[in-house]
Amino acid sequence: MTGRNIRLRRVYDPHEPEADGVRVLVDRLWPRGLSKEAAAVDEWPKAVTPSGELRKWFHGGGSAEEFRRRYEAELAEPGAGAELERLRAMAGAGPVTLLTAVRDPASSHAAILAEHLAD
């Protein structure tokens, strides 16, 4: 859980309609082995997900600190800025749950995105 009505969860966790609010997938790729119905995703704003190039770089051995720097640079781009504002507005109206397939959402790009939404 983070501030300002923003939660972090794994997309594979069961949907909690009362607590989740708007469910936003923040991964560039659709999660393996999960149907759209089971995921119950409301939004998939790819402009705020890490680029394919950044993902490949990180999985090739990039550092977490440099990943953060590069991802924050991507979030500063105009297309991402508009989506960030839209997601902030959603969070201002009620709960928003950022969904990711990673095992530990609190130490992933989703946590970095949540920080930017809380600003």
Side-chain angles (χ1 to χ4, degrees):
M1 186 71 107
T2 67
R4 195 172 181 212
N5 288 329
I6 301 168
R7 285 178 89 188
L8 301 177
R9 296 190 68 215
R10 291 194 76 216
V11 69
Y12 299 107
D13 293 340
H15 180 207
E16 296 177 356
E18 294 296 316
D20 285 349
V22 179
R23 291 170 54 90
V24 181
L25 180 62
V26 296
D27 290 341
R28 179 69 51 144
L29 303 174
W30 188 261
R32 291 180 187 217
L34 192 63
S35 70
K36 290 185 180 183
E37 295 76 29
V41 168
D42 299 309
E43 301 276 338
W44 191 11
K46 292 183 182 175
V48 297
T49 65
S51 67
E53 179 181 286
L54 180 55
R55 271 185 334 93
K56 289 175 188 170
W57 170 82
F58 183 68
H59 291 297
S63 73
E65 183 177 303
E66 181 64 13
F67 174 86
R68 174 182 275 277
R69 189 190 68 71
R70 291 181 185 197
Y71 182 44
E72 287 177 339
E74 290 183 355
L75 291 174
E77 293 175 3
E83 280 298 328
L84 286 171
E85 286 307 313
R86 194 172 74 79
L87 292 171
R88 277 188 193 106
M90 279 186 218
V96 170
T97 299
L98 303 181
L99 302 168
T100 181
V102 300
R103 292 187 196 276
D104 182 11
S107 63
S108 73
H109 68 283
I112 298 168
L113 178 57
E115 290 173 17
H116 280 264
L117 293 175
D119 288 344

